[in-house]
Amino acid sequence: MQEAERARENRLEIVKAHSHGEITKRDMFRWGIYGASGLIAAKHGLSPFVRSAYAAVPTGTPASPLFGAQKFHEPLNRAVVQPRIPLVAAAGSDDVLWMDPNGRPYANEMPGRRLSYHDEWSKKGANWQRLSNPLTGRGPCEGRPPGEFFAHQRWSKDPTSANRDLFPKVGYIMSLGQCRSSTKYCNEMPAQNANAMWSFGPRQAGWRGSNSGSRLGYGAPCLIKARYGEPLLTRIYNDLPVDRTQNGGFGRNEISTHFHNAHNGAESDGACNAYHFPGTFYDYHWGTTLARRDMPNIRAFNDPNYQRKASGPDDGTGLVMVEGDYRELQGTLWFHDHRFFFTAENVHKGNFALCNYYSGPDRACTSVVDGVNLLLPSGDSLPWGNQDFDVNLAVTNPAFDKDGQLFFDIFDTDGFLGDMLAVNGSYYPYMEVLPRRYRFRILNASMSRFIKLAVAVNNSRTFSSGTTVPFWFIANDGNLLVNPVQLMEMEEQGVAERYDIVIDFSAFADGDSVYLVNLLQQTSGMKPDGAVSMSNALKGVAADPCVGPIMEFRVRRGGIKSVDDPSRTYTGLEADPSADFSTSDWKGGLRTLTTQIPVVAPVRERVIEFNRSGGGDSRDPKTGQCIPECGTIESFPWAVKINGQAAHSLNANRIGALVPKPGEVEYWTLVNGGTGWDHPIHLHFEEGITLDRGGASIGPTEKLVRKDVWRLRPGGTVRFQVRFGEFGGSYVNHCHNTVHEDFAMLLRYQLLTPAPNDPDFAKTGSRPHWQISNTPIPSPDGVTFRVPEVLPEAQPTFKPPTRA
Amino acid sequence: MFRPLMRTSMIAGMALALFAAGPAAAASPWGEGYLPDAPLTDQDGRTRRFYSDVLKGRIAVIAFIYTSCRDICPVVTARLAQVQDRLNQERRDKGGAERAADPVFVAISIDPVTDTPARLKDYAEAFGVGPGWSFLTGRPEDIELVRYKLGERSRKLVDHSKTILLYNDATGEWARDSAFGDLTVLASTIRAMNPAFSAGTPAATGGAPAIGEASIAPDLPGQSLFLKTCAACHTVGGGTRVGPDLAGVGSRRSRDWLVSYVTDPQRMRAQGDATALDLARAFPSVRMPNLSLSDTDAADVLAYVEAMTYGAREAAKDKEASAEPADAHAHHHHHHH
């Protein structure tokens, strides 16, 4: 152990040798002679040759100590469902009150309001002290920037308002805090220190907080069960230590929560440089807005149920109709930190949680048969949001230091890879399942690791070990496919991608065991090496300990307790009323999960090239000759072309003016300009319909499927159709290898809403968002604004230039 | 009675929080012990050990450079020089003397064979950097060690990292940033690396507009591009900086020449264009870089320069009209390159 830890300190030599392949005498000599003090492995009594004993993963650091942990010894943590707090509109203002179980407002929890509390705090009136950060006494209690640009859009309790239905009804008070004292990846491993892991957890109304942080975070991911027609107000408190150096070696105590990829205003998107400080909260208005709400003319009118499908479940068997296009319904979502320059560290540290949007068609209850409900596997104990057979699985990729504490190499700029996969914060867990259909909502929540999952028999009375088990792929990034696709293995899954699948365990006998297997080997943060065969994956791969089974399903004919109704135990004799995709109605396409959004001619086409290498090489375009030599040119983070016109990535006057008005159809082509990397690129706020991958193959889980993250593949291209609408403000498009994101592979775009002279102005509820915004600059003493030195967003005044 | 008590305890609490930063340094895995102490050489030829002479006890802004870079990297140095100016200016405005707590700037050459101390000295002078800025070179293996440890792990020079690193040795804290963001924000981020500074002072961002207002930024084409990439080296009517003053450049050169030169100066020099070679001789240490501008970008930038030229000329006229005799300074505006 000591040796390994010394090796960790000397990981420079280790990795260098690995990249050199062979270690020569010259290397030895050189290290012996030239090394700076404290860096030479040999001086610590550790031969540099020891490096060959380590696999390439985790990158640049020795294997994580396991403390005798065994795989598949502990049950899966289920995501922790967050308590709902009813909200009631306050009399005489547009505030909302947080209600206690007795129906009275919590005395010590500030009401939610349209404008940030920063506005009132800045006036330094009578309430100034009460409105200040309770821990530091500096700055306001709310981290949301002041002013109309950061006021909640479409926030009105006025019964005559077009947006009355988006006024929040249910609230969540969450803490982003230090992990609870008992947080462990498994029993054998040591508990995580308070500042080793920071994650979400529920927060008591009125909790005061502490300067040294509050241990309110869970190791397992939290889950918000949301439904269309029931808008949320989510208050997130920063319960991290006030002293930002108390971070256990990585992570920043300033947080910004991006709801990936819900349809929210920019002020609630959590990516607009509006991070906040310990002691403060930020109110996010997550209105469950259904996209195309403002475009009633483009509904799927040929579907007789098109209105009823645009709905959320009520508490009985009914539906709450909402405005919007049901083809835009979303399901499996998540939210995570987006603090610029620190996203990778913070998300790796645990700063993420899950959110499922339930809708009329996807209500997660198999006892409501109304012609709209798709009857996806879930359960029937609750009127919606059952989880007995509908399971969120968040896959993470940790590594540990010698003390078993979460480790991250802040200098690993290619992308840091850990050496194990955890599911819902459990080290290689098992889950007991009944012999019936289950839906799994699988999220890749790593920093830089791609995965490719499949299902295989471990032990069975009927099937031989290693047999691949087919499953149905039903949703990509939270968007239902039109037709479920039967697969033997999944596509690669990049960071932030969500794949929903249905596995049918009914062919298995009591005591059978089935594995969820990762087939994808990756030893560099830049891109995966490639998939291995199932048999090799089950044997294990020396170079990458993350290849192989990551979770076990143990089939039990009964005796499994319900999570939805703790008083209930399944006998295994219950009928399975969930949709069976192997029937002819589904296979023949008579029944579908949703309806295809038509592909139409775009108003404009944008080509965005990530990691473009300059303008190409220095060859003369006419003669092809090199003058003076064919040197390569410095690479830029990205480059943009709009309708064929190129613009420099720093020409914000031109490229920033991205979306001049809502509702127009655009085609975006994302190009991976560098050849050696794969980038999962994420578009905030809207989903795109994946059209093609240039000339390359495109699988059935992507073709014409709505997505919000695309793996570009090394040297690859992807094109999608997208339409923006409903909200305004500044959003981003970026690489979701969170390490690359921190290295500025990030493009901002501004959506402009209708101007006051536009008849649609009143309807939008977006006030100043038809104009350019100033840049918020958060500080512990409050937010200031600056006229941008360069315009990050600008008026769309593009005219092709003419040469004089 | 109650209120003053509250204040005192609040301040005491803050003092404690500051103290708490002390022991953290020892706990940081990325401080002394992690950082190599390799002997490097600065632009004055002095040997400087990387940890104990350059970083120890300091707040540092670190960038990776190489002087032969023909592309965007000189702009990083030029923009950091602007940040340094800004930090120095703010200190002078407050009447402060230079202190040990002032951030030092460190530019590490990743091409140590080419970048001799003399060459780095010329480079530093071309950018007019102030004191407290070390340009470091050294033995290739030492440089490799330093840059690897700091996460600059590119395989080719042209792939090198354009991000900058901020470090405070007292707290053991690291942060990354970009030289292409807002320089005022960058300056305040650098100041906030010092916990003593960030405690109790509202973010001094200078000229902050009213909250939540729409931006009053003028929307001149090419403005953003000029400010991001050109203004670090050129002024319009403000005199020579790293490169020539661009006031009136539209009447000195033909439009086609300007577009060609702005989009690909390297090609112009290679083709032996006399004017391009004259410029290279006049500004020998830093050549006009190739910034991959398209023709439309070039048109934007030139339009902006023309607008600013007009503005500068009008301003000068107004000045002359209001104060007839004072034209001694006006001569400065008439450099011709």
Side-chain angles (χ1 to χ4, degrees):
Chain A
M1 181 51 54
Q2 218 180 348
E3 277 206 342
E5 194 54 27
R6 273 204 295 270
R8 181 190 297 282
E9 284 154 12
N10 291 298
R11 49 200 234 305
L12 163 69
E13 282 80 8
I14 295 168
V15 178
K16 217 156 82 176
H18 183 263
S19 66
H20 289 184
E22 290 285 324
I23 297 150
T24 63
K25 270 191 181 166
R26 198 174 58 84
D27 287 320
M28 281 289 284
F29 176 72
R30 193 153 55 86
W31 292 327
I33 297 293
Y34 293 116
S37 70
L39 288 161
I40 294 309
K43 284 187 185 164
H44 284 294
L46 176 66
S47 158
F49 291 105
V50 168
R51 68 180 58 83
S52 57
Y54 298 119
V57 176
T59 44
T61 186
S64 302
L66 295 178
F67 304 94
Q70 305 242 348
K71 290 181 179 177
F72 319 119
H73 267 220
E74 287 181 30
L76 173 79
N77 290 325
R78 297 299 292 269
V80 186
V81 179
Q82 296 302 291
R84 298 153 49 87
I85 301 171
L87 296 176
V88 168
S93 73
D94 60 1
D95 290 1
V96 286
L97 306 173
W98 306 83
M99 307 304 279
D100 70 15
N102 303 317
R104 281 188 290 270
Y106 281 110
N108 295 319
E109 195 66 46
M110 320 263 256
R113 59 173 54 171
R114 193 181 69 85
L115 279 168
S116 169
Y117 279 98
H118 198 314
D119 284 274
E120 194 183 334
W121 176 86
S122 296
K123 291 176 191 150
K124 290 203 159 60
N127 283 329
W128 187 70
Q129 208 155 25
R130 200 173 62 85
L131 296 172
S132 296
N133 181 335
L135 296 186
T136 62
R138 300 166 52 193
C141 59
E142 179 167 10
R144 186 158 51 110
E148 287 291 336
F149 269 105
F150 284 85
H152 297 306
Q153 295 178 56
R154 293 177 182 260
W155 175 284
S156 174
K157 66 168 186 176
D158 177 353
T160 63
S161 161
N163 295 307
R164 173 68 184 88
D165 57 324
L166 299 179
F167 197 67
K169 295 191 175 93
V170 164
Y172 289 88
I173 302 176
M174 297 191 75
S175 166
L176 191 284
Q178 298 160 310
C179 63
R180 292 192 303 178
S181 54
S182 56
T183 301
K184 290 177 169 194
Y185 278 82
C186 67
N187 267 329
E188 289 82 1
M189 291 186 181
Q192 295 295 310
N193 293 335
N195 291 324
M197 233 180 132
W198 293 341
S199 61
F200 285 104
R203 196 184 203 266
Q204 224 181 312
W207 175 273
R208 194 182 173 278
S210 152
N211 282 47
S212 57
S214 298
R215 302 197 68 168
L216 298 173
Y218 281 108
C222 292
L223 170 65
I224 286 183
K225 294 207 286 187
R227 52 179 165 170
Y228 281 97
E230 190 172 67
L232 315 180
L233 182 69
T234 304
R235 174 165 293 180
I236 292 171
Y237 277 92
N238 184 335
D239 280 316
L240 300 176
V242 169
D243 174 1
R244 75 184 195 191
T245 66
Q246 301 300 308
N247 70 348
F250 67 99
R252 178 56 78 89
N253 66 354
E254 300 153 4
I255 62 171
S256 169
T257 305
H258 167 52
F259 192 173
H260 181 141
N261 198 46
H263 204 66
N264 292 316
E267 73 285 354
S268 295
D269 187 60
C272 37
N273 201 39
Y275 52 87
H276 61 114
F277 294 83
T280 66
F281 63 84
Y282 194 119
D283 276 354
Y284 293 95
H285 180 211
W286 292 344
T288 67
T289 306
L290 181 55
R292 308 298 76 84
R293 172 187 173 87
D294 291 350
M295 303 189 75
N297 55 328
I298 58 160
R299 303 276 186 266
F301 297 109
N302 55 350
D303 183 334
N305 274 325
Y306 79 94
Q307 277 173 314
R308 294 180 66 231
K309 285 181 179 176
S311 61
D314 72 6
D315 286 331
T317 58
L319 297 170
V320 177
M321 256 35 110
V322 300
E323 202 51 62
D325 185 345
Y326 78 84
R327 295 170 295 188
E328 299 272 355
L329 286 170
Q330 299 180 291
T332 305
L333 306 173
W334 69 309
F335 50 101
H336 59 81
D337 184 60
H338 218 304
R339 167 69 166 95
F340 288 172
F341 297 114
F342 292 93
T343 306
E345 300 175 30
N346 286 355
V347 176
H348 181 61
K349 218 172 169 69
N351 188 339
F352 73 92
L354 312 174
C355 181
N356 298 340
Y357 268 15
Y358 299 96
S359 57
D362 186 8
R363 73 185 292 153
C365 173
T366 49
S367 63
V368 175
V369 181
D370 57 5
V372 163
N373 187 3
L374 292 165
L375 299 173
L376 298 174
S378 44
D380 57 10
S381 302
L382 306 169
W384 60 279
N386 286 288
Q387 294 188 283
D388 280 341
F389 314 116
D390 178 343
V391 185
N392 286 82
L393 301 177
V395 179
T396 54
N397 185 210
F400 300 116
D401 69 10
K402 67 178 193 307
D403 303 317
Q405 302 299 312
L406 202 57
F407 176 81
F408 179 74
D409 182 347
I410 62 170
F411 292 108
D412 193 337
T413 44
D414 284 351
F416 179 66
L417 301 175
D419 58 345
M420 68 186 73
L421 291 174
V423 184
N424 290 355
S426 309
Y427 175 78
Y428 295 90
Y430 70 84
M431 178 189 177
E432 295 192 324
V433 295
L434 292 162
R436 58 187 288 159
R437 287 181 285 276
Y438 278 73
R439 172 192 194 162
F440 296 97
R441 305 170 185 253
I442 303 169
L443 161 71
N444 181 354
S446 338
M447 301 143 286
S448 303
R449 182 176 283 279
F450 295 74
I451 55 176
K452 183 180 175 73
L453 299 177
V455 185
V457 174
N458 174 30
N459 288 305
S460 162
R461 289 184 208 170
T462 340
F463 307 101
S464 55
S465 296
T467 306
T468 306
V469 179
F471 56 89
W472 296 93
F473 188 96
I474 60 166
N476 200 332
D477 294 344
N479 308 295
L480 290 169
L481 273 63
V482 175
N483 308 108
V485 178
Q486 193 171 30
L487 296 175
M488 301 304 281
E489 59 186 43
M490 274 195 264
E491 276 261 9
E492 284 182 18
Q493 188 172 5
V495 176
E497 285 187 287
R498 288 90 67 210
Y499 290 166
D500 286 25
I501 60 168
V502 171
I503 306 176
D504 190 345
F505 296 107
S506 63
F508 292 96
D510 188 61
D512 282 2
S513 157
V514 174
Y515 280 143
L516 184 64
V517 183
N518 177 33
L519 301 174
L520 195 60
Q521 176 180 317
Q522 185 171 6
T523 53
S524 148
M526 298 164 75
K527 62 173 178 186
D529 307 341
V532 305
S533 70
M534 177 60 82
S535 62
N536 282 344
L538 291 174
K539 272 183 243 156
V541 171
D544 184 1
C546 295
V547 173
I550 68 167
M551 177 176 172
E552 181 190 4
F553 300 110
R554 295 181 183 166
V555 181
R556 294 274 176 273
R557 293 241 165 227
I560 295 182
K561 287 201 93 133
S562 166
V563 295
D564 299 314
D565 175 3
S567 67
R568 180 172 179 184
T569 301
Y570 287 98
T571 62
L573 301 172
E574 298 85 359
D576 182 356
S578 69
D580 181 358
F581 302 129
S582 63
T583 58
S584 57
D585 279 5
W586 280 103
K587 279 192 155 169
L590 188 65
R591 300 194 65 191
T592 54
L593 295 166
T594 183
T595 310
Q596 184 64 46
I597 295 177
V599 173
V600 296
V603 173
R604 66 184 72 78
E605 283 198 74
R606 303 172 198 273
V607 178
I608 299 160
E609 190 171 342
F610 284 86
N611 219 17
R612 177 180 69 156
S613 212
D617 63 23
S618 49
R619 245 180 290 268
D620 186 288
K622 291 197 190 81
T623 63
Q625 297 297 302
C626 290
I627 319 160
E629 81 279 344
C630 286
T632 36
I633 293 180
E634 285 279 327
S635 56
F636 295 93
W638 40 265
V640 177
K641 262 185 207 167
I642 300 170
N643 286 349
Q645 286 284 351
H648 194 274
S649 51
L650 297 176
N651 195 352
N653 292 72
R654 199 176 284 290
I655 58 95
L658 275 183
V659 187
K661 62 186 265 205
E664 292 177 339
V665 170
E666 303 196 349
Y667 284 1
W668 285 36
T669 303
L670 305 179
V671 181
N672 186 358
T675 49
W677 301 66
D678 196 354
H679 304 292
I681 303 291
H682 170 40
L683 175 69
H684 279 216
F685 180 63
E686 290 283 4
E687 295 69 55
I689 299 158
T690 318
L691 299 176
D692 58 56
R693 284 187 166 276
S697 66
I698 179 165
T701 59
E702 282 190 342
K703 179 76 185 171
L704 297 178
V705 173
R706 281 153 41 78
K707 280 184 70 58
D708 58 47
V709 184
W710 293 267
R711 279 158 289 106
L712 296 192
R713 301 176 187 166
T717 286
V718 69
R719 189 163 66 126
F720 58 84
Q721 169 180 306
V722 63
R723 199 194 288 262
F724 296 89
E726 280 80 46
F727 291 101
S730 173
Y731 296 88
V732 295
N733 176 40
H734 63 89
C735 178
H736 222 298
N737 176 332
T738 45
V739 176
H740 299 175
E741 180 183 314
D742 287 344
F743 282 81
M745 286 191 65
L746 191 96
L747 175 154
R748 284 173 68 170
Y749 66 91
Q750 177 125 17
L751 305 187
L752 299 177
T753 54
N757 58 0
D758 189 304
D760 288 337
F761 179 69
K763 189 167 71 180
T764 63
S766 308
R767 285 294 158 253
H769 299 89
W770 56 280
Q771 306 163 95
I772 305 161
S773 47
N774 284 316
T775 308
I777 304 166
S779 89
D781 301 295
V783 178
T784 50
F785 287 86
R786 264 185 63 72
V787 173
E789 169 195 71
V790 295
L791 301 174
E793 305 88 21
Q795 298 286 2
T797 50
F798 175 75
K799 278 184 226 86
T802 46
R803 277 214 189 190
Chain B
M1 280 308 283
F2 189 61
R3 220 177 236 188
L5 256 176
M6 282 278 290
R7 282 271 155 78
T8 322
S9 69
M10 212 164 74
I11 290 160
M14 270 155 55
L16 271 177
L18 285 183
F19 264 132
S28 169
W30 314 112
E32 188 171 358
Y34 174 79
L35 294 166
D37 209 20
L40 305 181
T41 310
D42 71 10
Q43 72 268 36
D44 296 317
R46 288 176 304 181
T47 300
R48 311 270 305 276
R49 281 171 302 160
F50 184 63
Y51 177 73
S52 31
D53 297 335
V54 180
L55 296 182
K56 191 172 182 181
R58 295 208 165 83
I59 292 171
V61 180
I62 303 169
F64 301 95
I65 61 149
Y66 61 105
T67 59
S68 60
C69 175
R70 297 178 302 221
D71 309 308
I72 205 162
C73 19
V75 183
V76 173
T77 306
R79 284 181 68 82
L80 286 182
Q82 288 180 291
V83 172
Q84 192 192 31
D85 281 352
R86 219 168 274 216
L87 290 168
N88 289 340
Q89 187 59 45
E90 278 164 23
R91 196 193 53 229
R92 280 194 296 272
D93 290 349
K94 288 181 185 137
E98 219 168 303
R99 284 163 305 160
D102 285 343
V104 294
F105 284 68
V106 182
I108 301 168
S109 167
I110 56 168
D111 184 12
V113 175
T114 313
D115 290 340
T116 58
R119 194 163 166 150
L120 289 175
K121 178 117 182 144
D122 287 347
Y123 194 72
E125 278 169 6
F127 286 105
V129 304
W133 197 324
S134 306
F135 286 77
L136 298 174
T137 182
R139 287 177 298 198
E141 53 275 19
D142 290 334
I143 289 287
E144 198 179 329
L145 183 71
V146 167
R147 76 182 181 106
Y148 185 91
K149 281 256 175 180
L150 297 184
E152 206 300 292
R153 299 176 187 183
S154 53
R155 287 136 189 95
K156 288 188 287 185
L157 280 182
V158 292
D159 288 338
H160 86 280
S161 165
K162 261 80 74 190
T163 48
I164 55 172
L165 296 169
L166 312 179
Y167 175 59
N168 181 351
D169 187 56
T171 60
E173 197 183 20
W174 285 94
R176 271 189 282 273
D177 219 307
S178 163
F180 292 104
D182 187 305
L183 292 185
T184 310
V185 178
L186 179 57
S188 61
T189 307
I190 292 169
R191 275 196 310 271
M193 288 301 288
N194 183 352
F197 190 94
S198 60
T201 17
T205 47
I211 51 166
E213 297 295 311
S215 179
I216 53 159
D219 184 21
L220 295 172
Q223 180 193 35
S224 59
L225 193 52
F226 186 89
L227 291 176
K228 284 271 191 201
T229 57
C230 314
C233 296
H234 297 280
T235 69
V236 183
T240 304
R241 268 182 76 98
V242 182
D245 188 336
L246 298 179
V249 74
S251 50
R252 296 202 295 275
R253 315 254 182 256
S254 80
R255 175 79 176 186
D256 283 351
W257 185 90
L258 284 170
V259 171
S260 305
Y261 189 70
V262 166
T263 51
D264 199 345
Q266 178 67 19
R267 188 196 306 276
M268 300 281 277
R269 288 190 289 263
Q271 286 169 339
D273 179 90
T275 315
L277 292 175
D278 282 351
L279 282 167
R281 274 189 290 275
F283 297 90
S285 300
V286 181
R287 288 177 301 174
M288 167 79 175
N290 192 335
L291 299 169
S292 291
L293 302 188
S294 68
D295 284 5
T296 54
D297 295 322
D300 285 355
V301 164
L302 293 173
Y304 181 76
V305 170
E306 273 163 34
M308 295 308 281
T309 300
Y310 174 79
R313 206 175 285 144
E314 291 301 300
K317 268 190 219 159
D318 289 353
K319 213 173 171 186
E320 276 166 34
S322 63
E324 224 26 296
D327 66 350
H329 293 85
H331 294 300
H332 284 294
H333 293 287
H334 300 295
H335 293 286
H336 283 282
H337 292 289

